[in-house]
Every structure is written in C-alpha cells, then in structure tokens.
Amino acid sequence: MNLIDRRPQMAPGIARSDAEAVNDKDTRELYQKREPIYPKLVKGPFRRFKWIFMALALGLYYVLPFVRWDRGPNAPDQAVLVDFANARFYFFFIEIWPQEVYYITGLLILAALLLFLATALFGRVWCGYACPQTVWTDLFIAVERFFEGDRNKRMKLDKAPWSFDKARKKISKHAVWLVIAAATGGAWILYFHDAFDLVENFLTGEAALTSYVFFALLTFTTYTLAGTMREQVCTYMCPWPRIQAAMTDREALNVAYRVDRGEPRGAHKAGDSWEGRGDCIDCKACVAACPMGIDIRNGPQLECIGCALCIDACNDIMDKVGRPRGLIAYETDDNIDRRLKGETPRYRFIRVRTLYYGITALIVAAIMLAGLLNRTELELNADRDRNPNYVMLSDGSVRNGYTVKVLNKAGTERDFILSVEGNPAFDVRVLGEETGETLTVDADETRDFRVFLTLPPGAIDSASEPVTFVVEDPASGERAETQTVFQAGGR
C-alpha cells in the first residue's frame, strides 16, 4: 500500500489531497520564510485556454522585433521600434514623434479604462491570464514539472537528500530557466534597436553598454520573479489586488466557491444519499491546483488571481462523484447571497459602473482615432529670443529674432514657403537661406531656421503686437501656422 492509498478517501476512488493553503492570509505569517507552493497539473478548458494564450503571448513577444515593415528608404523597417536615437516610436504604419507623446498618454488611459471594464465584468481576468508575471510563472512551472515531475514528485524530491539524480534535475531546471530569462531580456532590448543588427553586435561584443546592462537586468528579474518569488510578487509587490476593490462590485464575475451548494462539506461514501449535505467532499483538489497557495473555499481573497485552475480541478472531481459541474465557477457574490435566500440568480453585465467605463473608453478611443486620421505631416513652432528681448537698429527700426522649427514628417524632402501674418510692414529675413523665404527640410527631419523680423520706426504702433508664422508646401497645399508676438519696447 503506497502513501496515496493511506490518505482518507473522501469519495470512492478519490483521496484527500495533503495540500495546505500556505498563502491564505489567516495561515501565513508576514515575516516568515517563503513556504514553497507545488501546484498540481490539472486538465480542463481553463487550463487549455491558459496554454493557448501563453503560447500566443510569448510567441508575439519574442517574434515581434523581427517583423519588418517597409517605410521607405529613409526610415527603419522594423515593425515595432522605440528609436531613442532619432526620437521616434514606430508601430507598423504609425509613427509617433516626441511632439505627439499625447498619443501614448491616450493609449495608457485607454488601456487603464479597458482594464477597469474587464475587472468590473470578470474580476481579475487580467491577472489570471494576461499579466506577464502569470505568463512567465506558468512557463517556469511547466519547465519545473518537466524535469521534476508533478506535485507529489516535486515535494518528494525537495525533501530527499542531495544525490546525483536530484542535482541533475535541479541544475537542468535552473539552466532552462536562465535560458528563458536570457531570451526574455534579449527580446526586450530588441525593441529599442534594429533586431537583426543588435543580435549580431551583441554576440560579437560590439553592442552599446546599455544593451548589456538592460539584458542582465531583465534576465535577473525574470529569473527571480518567475522562478523563485512567484506568488509573492502578486501578494506583496503588485498594487493591483489592492486597487481592484474600487473597480468591481458584488455583481462582477469572479472565481468563487458556491458555498450555498457546497456546504456542509465532508466525505461521501458509495451509496450514501446527497440529501442534507453539500457537494463538496473536502478533497482539497482545488487547493492542490492553486498556484497562489490559497483555499478558494475561504471566500474572496486578495491573493486569488482568478486563474480558474481550481474550477478545472473541482469539475474533474464532480464528474467522478456524479455531481453537476460548477461547484467552483465564475460567479457573483450577489448570486451566492440570492441563492442562500432562495432567490433566482441574475447576471447584469450592463450596470452603471460598466457603462461608465465602456463609454469613457469609447470616447478616448474616438478622440485618439480622430487625431490619427487628421494628423498632418507638417508642424511648425516659433520661439522668440528672450535675451535680448529686441534690438534697436541705428535707423530707429526694431528687430526681433526667432528660432523657427519646421517638422517634416513626410518620407521625402520638401520645400516650404514661409510667410508672416500681422503688420504688413514686417521685413522678413531668414539667416543663411539663399532662396529667401523658401525653407528646405529633409525627409523625416526637424530643421531650425533663424528668422529676423524688422519694423521701421513709422510702423510701430504699440509695445507688442501679434505675429503669425505660416509655412506651406506649394506642391501639396499642406499648411501649418504658429502664433507669437513682436516686441517693440516701451513705445
């Protein structure tokens, strides 16, 4: 008779797991050493979905830097690139300049609103499936399981004295962890340089020092957070579990134990009636499957990431004992209370909270889309000299100096015509330009021009007056303007 056979039989053929909820808030101590958690592999639709999502997310992360996108001869051809050297952010057909950082701000606001909406509807669905900490931890656990076996084998291996077999398994596991961590850090830096060039330069030692520094930093953090800290990141470091309470309510779907159906819990013998007792046989399969080391039956908990693996584990047990699935399920706190009162459950996805998040997200998305559709390939800015504020010439005329910045976002060189709107007596001179008021700007460049405006003494009517600089592309008719002032002193 093996160890498993000696465990209490909670139902015919189902032994009670020895898993303990070591990370439950009522059982853990704040300053104790981390107690390892050994999540058991389960099978079911939620586990399959997590495998599929993990494969897609990791594949996208590792492959995306190598995807090419033709932008013409004067622009990089990497589809997604944060080009600090040239102050650009490229995302396929979108090119963001430093002056357009508000697009990134809008994207962050939109992402936050969509996260709030998802939380109000489905609880911590982000944490359970899409959070990088969850994705990489899932991968590291899969590697651990490959080398050391499932839950019971890993526990037995850790308790066993050191031997050649134990050392081989541990070294192999950590070696693969380091390879994954290095690939993670390496992929991250590829988003900031041309991927193919950086790989070659990195391997030959010719890459920039910052590339090696951030590679080492990301490798270390990935190895540490996904390999050794795991649930502690979610429990102690991540702010989202503490913030989400403000984003959800009692009608949000969360992974929950249906206490109205499960209690009173206890072992069930073959042939016994299910009348007067709950469906939970207290097998602790849900605890054994939990990567956070908690017992979902203890109610809503900050530590639960909503991964739904306990649902798959419990459904498997319900199938074996002949009871309906869904003892643990995506459920609302309100419905559990309604069933306890004998009322009919209800699911309201359209509520004031979800409408607010959804409508606000649509407004932000519409503003960003309108901005992208109406963005121009020409921008203009004029900075007036402050020291000196103005210059008095020998004939009594007053001159102001300006730095006029012309931004040409097009992929070709363009000639622009400069004009000034305001006092018709303005004399305009562009320093160093032989073609007078024609300004030539290279493709995808910003060029500064020194421009002087002069007013004769008879045309000066006030101490300051408005000025509008205008540049226009005669070929396309595209036009940009900016307003400033002309200072004439105390007249």
Side-chain angles (χ1 to χ4, degrees), residues 430-447:
V430 182
L431 187 64
E433 291 298 309
E434 299 179 356
T435 54
E437 297 172 7
T438 299
L439 311 180
T440 302
V441 184
D442 291 337
D444 203 35
E445 291 289 343
T446 300
R447 185 177 176 188

Side-chain angles (χ1 to χ4, degrees), residues 285-358:
C286 55
V287 180
C290 181
M292 294 299 296
I294 64 171
D295 189 340
I296 192 65
R297 298 173 299 174
N298 292 336
Q301 299 170 66
L302 172 151
E303 296 79 11
C304 178
I305 61 172
C307 66
L309 295 179
C310 55
I311 298 179
D312 284 338
C314 186
N315 283 342
D316 182 58
I317 298 298
M318 291 297 101
D319 291 342
K320 291 178 179 179
V321 299
R323 300 301 292 168
R325 289 187 163 204
L327 177 58
I328 301 175
Y330 274 101
E331 185 59 285
T332 70
D333 294 336
D334 181 65
N335 277 343
I336 293 176
D337 291 342
R338 291 176 69 87
R339 277 194 295 268
L340 288 172
K341 296 175 183 178
E343 299 176 0
T344 303
R346 65 180 183 183
Y347 297 93
R348 298 196 307 163
F349 295 103
I350 300 177
R351 312 188 297 275
V352 173
R353 183 185 298 269
T354 58
L355 283 174
Y356 172 78
Y357 294 144

